[in-house]
Amino acid sequence: MAQPILGHGSLQPASAAGLASLELDSSLDQYVQICIFKIIVIGNSKVGKTCLTFRFCGGTFPDKTEATIGVDFREKTVEIEGEKIKVQVWDTAGQERFRKSMVEHYYRNVHAVVFVYDVTKMTSFTNLKMWIQECNGHAVPPLVPKVLVGNKCDLREQIQVPSNLALKFADAHNMLLFETSAKDPKESQNVESIFMCLACRLKAQKSLLYRDADRQQGKVQKLEFPREANSKTSCPC
Amino acid sequence: MALRSAQGDGPISSRWDGGAEKADFNNKKKKKVAEIYQALNSDPIDVAALRRMAISEGGLLTDEIRRKVWPRLLNVNTSDPPPLLGKDLRQMSKDYQQVLLDVRRSLRRFPPGMPDEQREGLQEELIDIILLVLERNPQLHYYQGYHDIVVTFLLVVGEKLTTSLVEKLSTHHLRDFMEPTMDNTRHILNYLMPIIDQVNPELHDFMQSAEVGTIFALSWLITWFGHVLSDFRHVVRLYDFFLACHPLMPIYFAAVIVLYREQEVLDCDCDMASVHHLLSQIPQDLPYETLISRAGDLFVQFPPSELAREAAAQQEATRTAASTFKDFELVSAQQRPDMVLRQRFRELLRPEERTKDVLTKPRTNRFVKLAVMGLTVALGAAALAVVKSALEWAPKFQLQLFP
């Protein structure tokens, strides 16, 4: 399954999120130059969270990834419709014991959540319910956009999670669904479009600006222009 | 005054990692090897001397020596037969799947030139050892990163000894990481910022306003840096140090690394992402001997008991492995175990001593290079500090013991 599968009706909550906070500090105009967009990636152990984030941020598939302990951080600056957006990706540990006390700090102020499962592992899909609970438990507002990513779809022979099942689940939870492979170079465009799609959505709603509004004024100075735009892609959505 | 500016002062420049002459290095090494064997061959074995050797410059020097000394540091009798592997361990264990996932992808922990076949054999041994220790100690819970510690032992002492050593380590130094939840681990991480605050308030305040948290140091702490250092020699050098010290020493070492990188941190954007990103990428060329020495100094200067209040202020204090380090010390010194309880009880009767207010510390850089006490003495002093105050830093623990 090479193409991302777009669940219908899932765009609704994303556009509503931006309306949640409309008090715009005038000093934030500068943020328009470079928006920061914070995504957290969660899901079971060994579903490929680290590889997906590597594929997006570094462009390649790392051949020797190890278990992530705690939280790793990667970022990439992209350009959407002439606007530079810094996408910060927080890659989390999959083991259950890290979720509760360790990862909560990183759920704060996230702009979007990426849920990952392994299409060849049914348990990683059935566990998504628990991950959604986990996410809600960390006070992530229900209107924060969420996407569902089924990884490892290059392993066609071993697929355990049928697309229609995943699509149903995504619809029920108002999420976009993507099936992709961080490993397959032909799929790398799709990996990129997952994050780009979220970036577009957020750019459209500008909620990222408001979410940073409660930050200190002293941080305005850090709005330096990005050194380079790693990617120039038009909005895939 | 930054920590870094103390570098090169006094005795450091003459130390082994400071570019001393090779002949001098070899002489020192020879002398140290002789001292280690002397301690090993004395009757009873001079464990205190071995601890000092493990901490002082160069640590235990070779894997051959480590194979002899690590069991002594952990008070493990090498002549005891190793625990036997149950047949159905892989089928029975609830942790098998997670262990398998983590070990199979831990390729980077093995020497780069090792043939695949040999590495795969070791990985299978690694899985079996982990499952065996977990099975024999049902109170211990596997965590991602535990395999990074076990593999270090496997590569140094071999399969036969690893099980006994890791079992002892897991029920002592690592115990807090292996609780059902990570709450105790988080509590230990809560010591990081108070240590930094003692030495460099400016850096502390910067990190606090960046809201960086302490998770960047999580993998350092729970793998004893085995997960993040690519040169195995550095890893085993640190293991020498940590095996000889208080269970909280790795968090002091983490603090020392952050302090060492003061300027880089302060040059960073003051936000969580930038600072987390910087700190989680650990430099591979750290001056380990210098940093070990500083961690020892800091431990003596700001022992856990002094920081407990601030750490607990970040989170409620709970019982951790550090509270039983004293038992461990005393047992390995062949004292009567009930002495621990007696002493605890005596100390319990004097609770007013715990009321010293450490929150009124001056807002200046308080790190002092302990030139006289120095690295080799840190252990002795640290052990003394522990015996004196391990109880103070976990007040709740006493209540549990004496309801």
Side-chain angles (χ1 to χ4, degrees), chain B residues 299-335:
Chain B
F299 189 96
V300 175
Q301 238 181 308
F302 310 112
S305 57
E306 195 182 323
L307 304 173
R309 239 160 245 281
E310 285 145 272
Q314 307 196 27
Q315 189 194 301
E316 275 193 355
T318 45
R319 182 186 178 182
T320 69
S323 57
T324 53
F325 182 66
K326 185 168 71 174
D327 319 15
F328 187 67
E329 274 285 276
L330 294 180
V331 170
S332 58
Q334 289 157 0
Q335 297 193 20

Side-chain angles (χ1 to χ4, degrees), chain B residues 84-318:
Chain B
L84 285 178
L85 190 62
K87 259 190 179 165
D88 305 324
L89 214 47
R90 294 193 179 203
Q91 277 82 48
M92 308 272 285
S93 171
K94 64 174 169 47
D95 296 303
Y96 173 56
Q97 286 304 326
Q98 185 73 56
V99 174
L100 185 73
L101 290 179
D102 294 340
V103 170
R104 287 272 161 84
R105 53 183 165 160
S106 66
L107 306 181
R108 281 198 301 157
R109 300 280 80 82
F110 297 89
M114 182 180 278
D116 286 356
E117 209 169 289
Q118 190 187 354
R119 190 203 69 231
E120 284 158 15
L122 286 168
Q123 283 175 305
E124 294 307 305
E125 290 176 10
L126 185 54
I127 293 170
D128 288 335
I129 291 167
I130 292 173
L131 294 180
L132 180 58
V133 172
L134 292 173
E135 195 220 27
R136 286 166 51 90
N137 301 273
Q139 80 280 16
L140 301 179
H141 298 261
Y142 176 76
Y143 62 89
Q144 290 187 307
Y146 183 66
H147 65 296
D148 287 312
I149 289 197
V150 181
V151 76
T152 307
F153 282 87
L154 182 61
L155 292 173
V156 172
V157 304
E159 185 188 16
K160 220 177 121 205
L161 253 179
T162 295
T163 311
S164 327
L165 296 192
V166 165
E167 184 164 36
K168 186 54 113 23
L169 191 73
S170 305
T171 50
H172 290 82
H173 293 67
L174 307 181
R175 199 189 62 205
D176 291 310
F177 312 142
M178 306 189 77
E179 295 272 308
T181 71
M182 298 291 273
D183 289 349
N184 277 1
T185 307
R186 189 168 61 172
H187 179 54
I188 293 174
L189 282 171
N190 283 340
Y191 276 77
L192 183 68
M193 294 308 290
I195 299 170
I196 292 170
D197 193 25
Q198 295 290 336
V199 180
N200 191 331
E202 188 199 352
L203 182 63
H204 168 268
D205 294 350
F206 182 89
M207 289 172 69
Q208 290 289 40
S209 50
E211 299 180 340
V212 63
T214 50
I215 302 299
F216 66 84
L218 175 65
S219 65
W220 306 356
L221 176 69
I222 67 179
T223 71
W224 280 10
F225 296 82
H227 187 76
V228 289
L229 299 181
S230 49
D231 191 331
F232 193 67
R233 287 171 306 175
H234 298 150
V235 176
V236 290
R237 171 65 188 99
L238 285 180
Y239 277 47
D240 293 340
F241 178 47
F242 295 146
L243 282 169
C245 289
H246 189 282
L248 284 178
M249 190 56 91
I251 202 71
Y252 281 79
F253 194 78
V256 161
I257 291 181
V258 176
L259 289 161
Y260 177 74
R261 303 185 72 193
E262 172 196 4
Q263 207 47 55
E264 286 172 86
V265 176
L266 293 176
D267 289 346
C268 223
D269 289 350
C270 188
D271 62 64
M272 179 168 96
S274 307
V275 182
H276 178 102
H277 188 53
L278 174 83
L279 287 174
S280 59
Q281 310 292 313
I282 204 164
Q284 295 296 321
D285 58 347
L286 291 169
Y288 291 94
E289 297 300 335
T290 307
L291 297 185
I292 284 171
S293 161
R294 284 181 195 166
D297 289 345
L298 280 185
F299 189 96
V300 175
Q301 238 181 308
F302 310 112
S305 57
E306 195 182 323
L307 304 173
R309 239 160 245 281
E310 285 145 272
Q314 307 196 27
Q315 189 194 301
E316 275 193 355
T318 45

Side-chain angles (χ1 to χ4, degrees), chain B residues 309 347-348 350-356 391-392 395 398:
Chain B
R309 239 160 245 281
E347 288 193 24
L348 190 72
R350 290 181 273 116
E352 71 279 4
E353 286 185 8
R354 298 204 311 270
T355 57
K356 188 178 69 166
L391 272 177
E392 288 187 8
Q398 296 175 51

